[in-house]
Every structure is written in C-alpha cells, then in structure tokens.
DNA sequence: GTATTTGCAAATAGTTTGCAATGCC
DNA sequence: GGCATTGCAAACTATTTGCAAATAC
C-alpha cells in the first residue's frame, strides 16, 4: 500500500489519520517478518494500551494478520503482503519467510469444503526446524 | 499407544509412573481435539502448577504437541496421533480435525531445504473459517 | 533412601479495561 | 463541538517459580 493508499484505507474504514496510527502502519509495512506488540511500542513510542487497542482495530479492519509461533508472544504483519509462509527456527527463534509458488493449501480447501462443509477464510502454514545458521552447529 | 505402551514410554524416558501422569496421558490419548491446561486440570484433578510442569515435561519428551489457535490459550494433543490439520471456526471456536491424504507440505519441505537450507522438523497447517453449523446462520 | 513429583502461594508476562484528557475532522 | 484516540494506572488471565512435603522405585 502506498502512502496515499494508507490515506484511502483509513478513510474507507472510518479511521482518523493520527500520528501513532500512521507510524504503526508504516512500521508494519516495512517489517520483513512479523513484529510483536513490544516492538511496535518501542518503534512508535506510544503507550502499550494504545498499541494493543490499535492492533485490535487494525486486525478487525483486516489490515493486519496475527501469528503465534509458540513462544508466548503474538506477532503481527501487514496482511496486504504477498502470500507466504514462515520458517521458525526452534534453536535461535529467527523467522524467515518462504514465498509459495504452488498453493497446495488451496487444493485442500476444496476438499475441506466438500468433506466437512467448512468454509475456509484463511489458512496458516508454518514450518518449524533449524535455520541455515543453526544447522551448521 | 497402548496401556503397556505408556509404561514402556515412561520407563524409556526415565519418568515415574504416577497417578497424575497416567491420568493425564490417558486423557490426552482419548481426546478428539486439542485440550487446554485448564481442561486437563479439571479432568485430572491436579494442581495447575503440576499440570503445567507435566505439559512441559511431556512436550520435551515428545509425547505431546502444542497448538495456539489465537484465542490466548494453548492447546495440547497426543503427538502419536495420525497426522492431521485443524479447522478452527472463527464464529463458535469449535475445532475439527481434518485427516490429510496427500501430504502437500512434504513437497514444500523439499523446496525449503534446497532454497533456504532450512531443516524442517515439523509443520503446522491450520484452516480458519466457518464450521458447518455456523455457515448456515 | 533418594531423586522425582506434587501442592501451595506468590511472582511474572502479556494483554485488557475504566476513565479522564487530548486530538482530528 | 463531538466523537475517536490516547495515556495512565489498575485489573485480569495464563503461566511460571520457590520451596517444603509427599511419593515412586
């Protein structure tokens, strides 16, 4: 989303264009891997309540996606980014992205709909293991 | 794992065969969807500290897998169960299992290894949406 | 007998809420 | 001006920890 794209997004969602909100969206937009509430707080310089409230709001409006990789902290990323999955290193906890060429999950969605009558809205696929660096040791 | 299988497992891991541990393993074994620490506590009748310590221990020994579906509570299931994915209803929060026939993720693992030099140990694939019941309303 | 396991109470971490003050349109 | 947004402090929830008592082998 471009800078003016953000303006349009905010307007369409009935959200005011505040300093904190703009900083937060900009931070999410430039981050290469999902960020935590604490990281957002530090970067944006807002109160933690504000950060959490803003996260809720942006999640509700569909601007961000939430992830939990099992270390007790939630992470968030710009939902407009290209579809990808995450590789989480169980050793150093680094998070790498993996762009998907073939969308296998889409195929499963069809099976799920026909077999279970369950309507898939989104899916999350994460791989846990050892990153390049940690595999060497 | 059969009852005697549990005995063998405990012995091989150097774990004592206590009442609480046996009850907990038995509960995990029979549960059809991942259970929370609180549910385990109620079923087993142990102190919550004991439950959390036991969960840590059994996770460490590879007996259980941990999941987080984004509602702030962790869930656990017997790792020896057949490989499957979860369908989480965003409306009523029910969790359904979906057995996988073709293992698409395995194919991606190969790409991940060659492209990213990342060694995959396990993956988690979850589908979020509306269950059969909630789709009707 | 001794190392493991357990319960209890208190501590911690992440997140949420009530309320008054401030800022955007 | 009026409603959305923000900060602060306190509350809340899930989980963890220290320590002494109980239990398995």
């Amino acid at each position: 989303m471009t800078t003016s794209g953000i303006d349009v997004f905010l307007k369409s969602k009935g959200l005011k264009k505040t300093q904190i909100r703009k900083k937060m969206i900009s931070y999410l937009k430039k981050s290469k891997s999902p960020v935590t509430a604490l990281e957002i707080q530090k970067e944006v310089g807002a109160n933690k309540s504000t950060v959490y409230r803003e996260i809720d709001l942006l999640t509700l409006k569909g601007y961000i996606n939430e992830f939990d990789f099992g270390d007790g902290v939630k992470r968030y990323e710009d939902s407009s980014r290209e579809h990808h999955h995450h590789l989480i290193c169980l050793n150093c906890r680094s998070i790498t992205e993996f762009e998907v060429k073939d969308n296998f999950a889409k195929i499963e969605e069809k099976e799920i709909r026909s077999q279970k009558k369950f309507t898939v809205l989104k899916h999350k696929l994460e791989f846990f293991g050892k990153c390049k660096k940690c595999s060497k040791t």
Side-chain angles (χ1 to χ4, degrees), chain A residues 16-18 37 48-49 52-53 72 74:
Chain A
K16 290 181 177 173
K17 194 169 57 175
T18 67
K48 61 181 174 176
S49 309
Y52 282 113
R53 267 186 298 231
K74 286 179 179 171

mmCIF file of all heavy atoms in Angstrom, chain A residues 16-18 37 48-49 52-53 72 74, chain C residues 13-19 23-25:
data_model
loop_
_atom_site.group_PDB
_atom_site.id
_atom_site.type_symbol
_atom_site.label_atom_id
_atom_site.label_comp_id
_atom_site.label_asym_id
_atom_site.label_seq_id
_atom_site.Cartn_x
_atom_site.Cartn_y
_atom_site.Cartn_z
ATOM 1 N N LYS A 16 -9.379 7.765 11.853
ATOM 2 C CA LYS A 16 -8.707 9.054 11.770
ATOM 3 C C LYS A 16 -7.217 8.884 11.504
ATOM 4 O O LYS A 16 -6.613 7.903 11.925
ATOM 5 C CB LYS A 16 -8.921 9.840 13.063
ATOM 6 C CG LYS A 16 -10.353 10.306 13.200
ATOM 7 C CD LYS A 16 -10.577 11.106 14.454
ATOM 8 C CE LYS A 16 -12.024 11.600 14.489
ATOM 9 N NZ LYS A 16 -12.358 12.250 15.769
ATOM 10 N N LYS A 17 -6.672 9.857 10.837
ATOM 11 C CA LYS A 17 -5.260 9.781 10.450
ATOM 12 C C LYS A 17 -4.366 10.378 11.540
ATOM 13 O O LYS A 17 -3.885 11.497 11.421
ATOM 14 C CB LYS A 17 -5.066 10.520 9.120
ATOM 15 C CG LYS A 17 -3.753 10.258 8.436
ATOM 16 C CD LYS A 17 -3.752 10.797 7.019
ATOM 17 C CE LYS A 17 -4.067 12.283 6.974
ATOM 18 N NZ LYS A 17 -3.964 12.843 5.605
ATOM 19 N N THR A 18 -4.131 9.597 12.572
ATOM 20 C CA THR A 18 -3.331 10.096 13.690
ATOM 21 C C THR A 18 -1.856 9.751 13.508
ATOM 22 O O THR A 18 -1.502 8.848 12.742
ATOM 23 C CB THR A 18 -3.813 9.483 15.016
ATOM 24 O OG1 THR A 18 -3.534 8.086 15.002
ATOM 25 C CG2 THR A 18 -5.274 9.716 15.221
ATOM 26 N N ALA A 37 4.001 -6.769 19.848
ATOM 27 C CA ALA A 37 3.395 -5.540 20.374
ATOM 28 C C ALA A 37 4.495 -4.672 21.000
ATOM 29 O O ALA A 37 4.492 -3.448 20.846
ATOM 30 C CB ALA A 37 2.335 -5.879 21.415
ATOM 31 N N LYS A 48 1.466 1.285 25.738
ATOM 32 C CA LYS A 48 1.158 -0.094 25.343
ATOM 33 C C LYS A 48 -0.334 -0.333 25.154
ATOM 34 O O LYS A 48 -0.737 -1.078 24.261
ATOM 35 C CB LYS A 48 1.733 -1.091 26.346
ATOM 36 C CG LYS A 48 1.193 -0.959 27.737
ATOM 37 C CD LYS A 48 1.836 -1.958 28.689
ATOM 38 C CE LYS A 48 1.346 -1.666 30.111
ATOM 39 N NZ LYS A 48 1.829 -2.623 31.106
ATOM 40 N N SER A 49 -1.164 0.325 25.947
ATOM 41 C CA SER A 49 -2.618 0.164 25.772
ATOM 42 C C SER A 49 -3.024 0.613 24.383
ATOM 43 O O SER A 49 -3.822 -0.043 23.718
ATOM 44 C CB SER A 49 -3.377 1.021 26.777
ATOM 45 O OG SER A 49 -2.909 0.790 28.066
ATOM 46 N N TYR A 52 -1.961 -2.016 21.822
ATOM 47 C CA TYR A 52 -2.847 -3.177 21.791
ATOM 48 C C TYR A 52 -4.215 -2.839 21.195
ATOM 49 O O TYR A 52 -4.789 -3.609 20.430
ATOM 50 C CB TYR A 52 -3.019 -3.758 23.196
ATOM 51 C CG TYR A 52 -1.841 -4.595 23.629
ATOM 52 C CD1 TYR A 52 -1.013 -4.194 24.662
ATOM 53 C CD2 TYR A 52 -1.553 -5.795 22.983
ATOM 54 C CE1 TYR A 52 0.080 -4.963 25.059
ATOM 55 C CE2 TYR A 52 -0.472 -6.572 23.367
ATOM 56 C CZ TYR A 52 0.339 -6.155 24.411
ATOM 57 O OH TYR A 52 1.407 -6.911 24.789
ATOM 58 N N ARG A 53 -4.718 -1.662 21.545
ATOM 59 C CA ARG A 53 -6.012 -1.259 21.006
ATOM 60 C C ARG A 53 -5.940 -1.060 19.492
ATOM 61 O O ARG A 53 -6.837 -1.450 18.747
ATOM 62 C CB ARG A 53 -6.492 0.018 21.695
ATOM 63 C CG ARG A 53 -7.384 -0.282 22.895
ATOM 64 C CD ARG A 53 -7.970 0.987 23.460
ATOM 65 N NE ARG A 53 -6.917 1.875 23.928
ATOM 66 C CZ ARG A 53 -6.893 2.441 25.142
ATOM 67 N NH1 ARG A 53 -7.833 2.192 25.998
ATOM 68 N NH2 ARG A 53 -5.906 3.237 25.488
ATOM 69 N N GLY A 72 4.906 -17.701 23.234
ATOM 70 C CA GLY A 72 4.173 -16.893 24.199
ATOM 71 C C GLY A 72 3.941 -15.442 23.824
ATOM 72 O O GLY A 72 3.370 -14.689 24.601
ATOM 73 N N LYS A 74 2.543 -12.803 20.715
ATOM 74 C CA LYS A 74 1.880 -12.731 19.424
ATOM 75 C C LYS A 74 2.652 -11.813 18.496
ATOM 76 O O LYS A 74 3.308 -10.878 18.933
ATOM 77 C CB LYS A 74 0.446 -12.234 19.598
ATOM 78 C CG LYS A 74 -0.442 -13.302 20.182
ATOM 79 C CD LYS A 74 -1.858 -12.828 20.374
ATOM 80 C CE LYS A 74 -2.701 -13.963 20.946
ATOM 81 N NZ LYS A 74 -4.033 -13.489 21.343
ATOM 82 P P DA C 13 8.702 -10.964 33.942
ATOM 83 O OP1 DA C 13 10.011 -11.252 33.325
ATOM 84 O OP2 DA C 13 8.381 -9.615 34.458
ATOM 85 O "O5'" DA C 13 7.566 -11.377 32.907
ATOM 86 C "C5'" DA C 13 7.522 -12.711 32.404
ATOM 87 C "C4'" DA C 13 6.506 -12.751 31.299
ATOM 88 O "O4'" DA C 13 5.185 -12.804 31.892
ATOM 89 C "C3'" DA C 13 6.521 -11.506 30.418
ATOM 90 O "O3'" DA C 13 6.369 -11.908 29.061
ATOM 91 C "C2'" DA C 13 5.354 -10.663 30.910
ATOM 92 C "C1'" DA C 13 4.396 -11.728 31.444
ATOM 93 N N9 DA C 13 3.611 -11.285 32.594
ATOM 94 C C8 DA C 13 4.008 -10.472 33.619
ATOM 95 N N7 DA C 13 3.071 -10.260 34.518
ATOM 96 C C5 DA C 13 1.990 -10.987 34.042
ATOM 97 C C6 DA C 13 0.688 -11.180 34.537
ATOM 98 N N6 DA C 13 0.237 -10.635 35.666
ATOM 99 N N1 DA C 13 -0.138 -11.967 33.830
ATOM 100 C C2 DA C 13 0.314 -12.527 32.693
ATOM 101 N N3 DA C 13 1.503 -12.415 32.118
ATOM 102 C C4 DA C 13 2.311 -11.631 32.857
ATOM 103 P P DG C 14 6.386 -10.777 27.899
ATOM 104 O OP1 DG C 14 7.221 -11.350 26.820
ATOM 105 O OP2 DG C 14 6.696 -9.455 28.486
ATOM 106 O "O5'" DG C 14 4.873 -10.763 27.427
ATOM 107 C "C5'" DG C 14 4.242 -12.013 27.149
ATOM 108 C "C4'" DG C 14 2.762 -11.782 27.029
ATOM 109 O "O4'" DG C 14 2.215 -11.462 28.318
ATOM 110 C "C3'" DG C 14 2.390 -10.621 26.100
ATOM 111 O "O3'" DG C 14 1.454 -11.097 25.150
ATOM 112 C "C2'" DG C 14 1.799 -9.567 27.036
ATOM 113 C "C1'" DG C 14 1.293 -10.413 28.201
ATOM 114 N N9 DG C 14 1.243 -9.719 29.484
ATOM 115 C C8 DG C 14 2.229 -8.966 30.053
ATOM 116 N N7 DG C 14 1.891 -8.458 31.218
ATOM 117 C C5 DG C 14 0.592 -8.912 31.418
ATOM 118 C C6 DG C 14 -0.296 -8.688 32.504
ATOM 119 O O6 DG C 14 -0.116 -8.017 33.528
ATOM 120 N N1 DG C 14 -1.516 -9.333 32.312
ATOM 121 C C2 DG C 14 -1.838 -10.097 31.214
ATOM 122 N N2 DG C 14 -3.045 -10.639 31.202
ATOM 123 N N3 DG C 14 -1.013 -10.321 30.192
ATOM 124 C C4 DG C 14 0.182 -9.689 30.365
ATOM 125 P P DT C 15 0.843 -10.141 24.051
ATOM 126 O OP1 DT C 15 0.460 -10.994 22.920
ATOM 127 O OP2 DT C 15 1.728 -8.977 23.855
ATOM 128 O "O5'" DT C 15 -0.506 -9.644 24.736
ATOM 129 C "C5'" DT C 15 -1.405 -10.638 25.249
ATOM 130 C "C4'" DT C 15 -2.512 -9.975 26.006
ATOM 131 O "O4'" DT C 15 -1.987 -9.338 27.188
ATOM 132 C "C3'" DT C 15 -3.259 -8.883 25.236
ATOM 133 O "O3'" DT C 15 -4.596 -9.314 25.072
ATOM 134 C "C2'" DT C 15 -3.130 -7.635 26.118
ATOM 135 C "C1'" DT C 15 -2.826 -8.244 27.480
ATOM 136 N N1 DT C 15 -2.115 -7.390 28.453
ATOM 137 C C2 DT C 15 -2.744 -7.081 29.626
ATOM 138 O O2 DT C 15 -3.868 -7.480 29.914
ATOM 139 N N3 DT C 15 -2.018 -6.288 30.490
ATOM 140 C C4 DT C 15 -0.757 -5.780 30.284
ATOM 141 O O4 DT C 15 -0.211 -5.081 31.129
ATOM 142 C C5 DT C 15 -0.153 -6.142 29.022
ATOM 143 C C7 DT C 15 1.233 -5.643 28.701
ATOM 144 C C6 DT C 15 -0.842 -6.923 28.175
ATOM 145 P P DT C 16 -5.705 -8.396 24.412
ATOM 146 O OP1 DT C 16 -6.696 -9.277 23.771
ATOM 147 O OP2 DT C 16 -5.051 -7.321 23.647
ATOM 148 O "O5'" DT C 16 -6.397 -7.740 25.687
ATOM 149 C "C5'" DT C 16 -6.886 -8.589 26.722
ATOM 150 C "C4'" DT C 16 -7.656 -7.761 27.730
ATOM 151 O "O4'" DT C 16 -6.731 -7.010 28.537
ATOM 152 C "C3'" DT C 16 -8.619 -6.740 27.122
ATOM 153 O "O3'" DT C 16 -9.866 -6.948 27.773
ATOM 154 C "C2'" DT C 16 -7.992 -5.392 27.410
ATOM 155 C "C1'" DT C 16 -7.207 -5.680 28.688
ATOM 156 N N1 DT C 16 -5.988 -4.871 28.923
ATOM 157 C C2 DT C 16 -5.815 -4.271 30.155
ATOM 158 O O2 DT C 16 -6.639 -4.353 31.054
ATOM 159 N N3 DT C 16 -4.637 -3.587 30.300
ATOM 160 C C4 DT C 16 -3.639 -3.431 29.359
ATOM 161 O O4 DT C 16 -2.623 -2.797 29.619
ATOM 162 C C5 DT C 16 -3.883 -4.068 28.095
ATOM 163 C C7 DT C 16 -2.877 -3.955 27.006
ATOM 164 C C6 DT C 16 -5.031 -4.757 27.937
ATOM 165 P P DT C 17 -11.155 -6.074 27.419
ATOM 166 O OP1 DT C 17 -12.306 -6.995 27.522
ATOM 167 O OP2 DT C 17 -10.900 -5.340 26.169
ATOM 168 O "O5'" DT C 17 -11.263 -5.003 28.603
ATOM 169 C "C5'" DT C 17 -11.099 -5.425 29.944
ATOM 170 C "C4'" DT C 17 -11.252 -4.227 30.863
ATOM 171 O "O4'" DT C 17 -9.984 -3.562 31.005
ATOM 172 C "C3'" DT C 17 -12.248 -3.156 30.391
ATOM 173 O "O3'" DT C 17 -13.023 -2.746 31.504
ATOM 174 C "C2'" DT C 17 -11.352 -2.028 29.894
ATOM 175 C "C1'" DT C 17 -10.147 -2.181 30.803
ATOM 176 N N1 DT C 17 -8.851 -1.691 30.268
ATOM 177 C C2 DT C 17 -7.973 -1.078 31.140
ATOM 178 O O2 DT C 17 -8.217 -0.900 32.310
ATOM 179 N N3 DT C 17 -6.787 -0.684 30.568
ATOM 180 C C4 DT C 17 -6.414 -0.829 29.252
ATOM 181 O O4 DT C 17 -5.315 -0.434 28.870
ATOM 182 C C5 DT C 17 -7.385 -1.475 28.394
ATOM 183 C C7 DT C 17 -7.070 -1.678 26.962
ATOM 184 C C6 DT C 17 -8.544 -1.874 28.939
ATOM 185 P P DG C 18 -14.348 -1.846 31.301
ATOM 186 O OP1 DG C 18 -15.471 -2.620 31.859
ATOM 187 O OP2 DG C 18 -14.411 -1.363 29.903
ATOM 188 O "O5'" DG C 18 -14.072 -0.601 32.255
ATOM 189 C "C5'" DG C 18 -13.507 -0.802 33.560
ATOM 190 C "C4'" DG C 18 -13.255 0.536 34.212
ATOM 191 O "O4'" DG C 18 -11.947 1.034 33.822
ATOM 192 C "C3'" DG C 18 -14.240 1.641 33.831
ATOM 193 O "O3'" DG C 18 -14.437 2.474 34.966
ATOM 194 C "C2'" DG C 18 -13.538 2.366 32.690
ATOM 195 C "C1'" DG C 18 -12.061 2.231 33.090
ATOM 196 N N9 DG C 18 -11.126 2.135 31.980
ATOM 197 C C8 DG C 18 -11.323 1.485 30.791
ATOM 198 N N7 DG C 18 -10.284 1.535 29.997
ATOM 199 C C5 DG C 18 -9.342 2.267 30.717
ATOM 200 C C6 DG C 18 -8.020 2.650 30.384
ATOM 201 O O6 DG C 18 -7.396 2.405 29.347
ATOM 202 N N1 DG C 18 -7.415 3.381 31.398
ATOM 203 C C2 DG C 18 -8.011 3.704 32.592
ATOM 204 N N2 DG C 18 -7.284 4.417 33.446
ATOM 205 N N3 DG C 18 -9.244 3.358 32.922
ATOM 206 C C4 DG C 18 -9.845 2.639 31.937
ATOM 207 P P DC C 19 -15.458 3.704 34.928
ATOM 208 O OP1 DC C 19 -16.018 3.799 36.290
ATOM 209 O OP2 DC C 19 -16.345 3.613 33.743
ATOM 210 O "O5'" DC C 19 -14.461 4.930 34.717
ATOM 211 C "C5'" DC C 19 -13.316 5.082 35.553
ATOM 212 C "C4'" DC C 19 -12.486 6.246 35.063
ATOM 213 O "O4'" DC C 19 -11.621 5.806 33.983
ATOM 214 C "C3'" DC C 19 -13.324 7.401 34.495
ATOM 215 O "O3'" DC C 19 -12.805 8.623 34.977
ATOM 216 C "C2'" DC C 19 -13.116 7.277 33.000
ATOM 217 C "C1'" DC C 19 -11.676 6.785 32.964
ATOM 218 N N1 DC C 19 -11.259 6.153 31.694
ATOM 219 C C2 DC C 19 -9.932 6.319 31.265
ATOM 220 O O2 DC C 19 -9.151 6.964 31.964
ATOM 221 N N3 DC C 19 -9.547 5.767 30.084
ATOM 222 C C4 DC C 19 -10.428 5.089 29.350
ATOM 223 N N4 DC C 19 -10.000 4.563 28.208
ATOM 224 C C5 DC C 19 -11.785 4.898 29.768
ATOM 225 C C6 DC C 19 -12.152 5.451 30.931
ATOM 226 P P DG C 23 -3.166 17.173 22.268
ATOM 227 O OP1 DG C 23 -1.742 17.022 21.898
ATOM 228 O OP2 DG C 23 -3.767 18.502 22.486
ATOM 229 O "O5'" DG C 23 -4.027 16.414 21.161
ATOM 230 C "C5'" DG C 23 -3.734 15.042 20.854
ATOM 231 C "C4'" DG C 23 -4.510 14.650 19.610
ATOM 232 O "O4'" DG C 23 -5.927 14.558 19.918
ATOM 233 C "C3'" DG C 23 -4.391 15.643 18.464
ATOM 234 O "O3'" DG C 23 -4.379 14.862 17.271
ATOM 235 C "C2'" DG C 23 -5.672 16.477 18.582
ATOM 236 C "C1'" DG C 23 -6.667 15.436 19.094
ATOM 237 N N9 DG C 23 -7.747 15.925 19.927
ATOM 238 C C8 DG C 23 -7.678 16.851 20.933
ATOM 239 N N7 DG C 23 -8.832 17.038 21.536
ATOM 240 C C5 DG C 23 -9.713 16.171 20.874
ATOM 241 C C6 DG C 23 -11.091 15.926 21.087
ATOM 242 O O6 DG C 23 -11.834 16.437 21.920
ATOM 243 N N1 DG C 23 -11.585 14.978 20.193
ATOM 244 C C2 DG C 23 -10.837 14.339 19.227
ATOM 245 N N2 DG C 23 -11.484 13.465 18.470
ATOM 246 N N3 DG C 23 -9.546 14.551 19.025
ATOM 247 C C4 DG C 23 -9.051 15.488 19.886
ATOM 248 P P DC C 24 -3.961 15.475 15.893
ATOM 249 O OP1 DC C 24 -2.823 14.706 15.338
ATOM 250 O OP2 DC C 24 -3.869 16.942 16.061
ATOM 251 O "O5'" DC C 24 -5.250 15.127 15.043
ATOM 252 C "C5'" DC C 24 -5.542 13.755 14.782
ATOM 253 C "C4'" DC C 24 -6.931 13.640 14.189
ATOM 254 O "O4'" DC C 24 -7.915 14.166 15.118
ATOM 255 C "C3'" DC C 24 -7.141 14.396 12.880
ATOM 256 O "O3'" DC C 24 -7.809 13.512 11.994
ATOM 257 C "C2'" DC C 24 -7.996 15.603 13.276
ATOM 258 C "C1'" DC C 24 -8.795 15.047 14.461
ATOM 259 N N1 DC C 24 -9.226 16.016 15.499
ATOM 260 C C2 DC C 24 -10.555 15.994 15.939
ATOM 261 O O2 DC C 24 -11.359 15.202 15.424
ATOM 262 N N3 DC C 24 -10.939 16.838 16.933
ATOM 263 C C4 DC C 24 -10.048 17.679 17.486
ATOM 264 N N4 DC C 24 -10.477 18.487 18.472
ATOM 265 C C5 DC C 24 -8.688 17.719 17.048
ATOM 266 C C6 DC C 24 -8.324 16.876 16.061
ATOM 267 P P DC C 25 -7.870 13.803 10.440
ATOM 268 O OP1 DC C 25 -7.838 12.529 9.707
ATOM 269 O OP2 DC C 25 -6.893 14.861 10.157
ATOM 270 O "O5'" DC C 25 -9.342 14.418 10.309
ATOM 271 C "C5'" DC C 25 -10.458 13.545 10.439
ATOM 272 C "C4'" DC C 25 -11.741 14.338 10.408
ATOM 273 O "O4'" DC C 25 -11.821 15.190 11.565
ATOM 274 C "C3'" DC C 25 -11.884 15.264 9.191
ATOM 275 O "O3'" DC C 25 -13.180 15.109 8.640
ATOM 276 C "C2'" DC C 25 -11.725 16.659 9.786
ATOM 277 C "C1'" DC C 25 -12.299 16.448 11.174
ATOM 278 N N1 DC C 25 -11.851 17.414 12.211
ATOM 279 C C2 DC C 25 -12.769 17.782 13.221
ATOM 280 O O2 DC C 25 -13.903 17.296 13.207
ATOM 281 N N3 DC C 25 -12.370 18.648 14.189
ATOM 282 C C4 DC C 25 -11.125 19.146 14.163
ATOM 283 N N4 DC C 25 -10.780 20.006 15.135
ATOM 284 C C5 DC C 25 -10.186 18.787 13.158
ATOM 285 C C6 DC C 25 -10.583 17.919 12.199
#
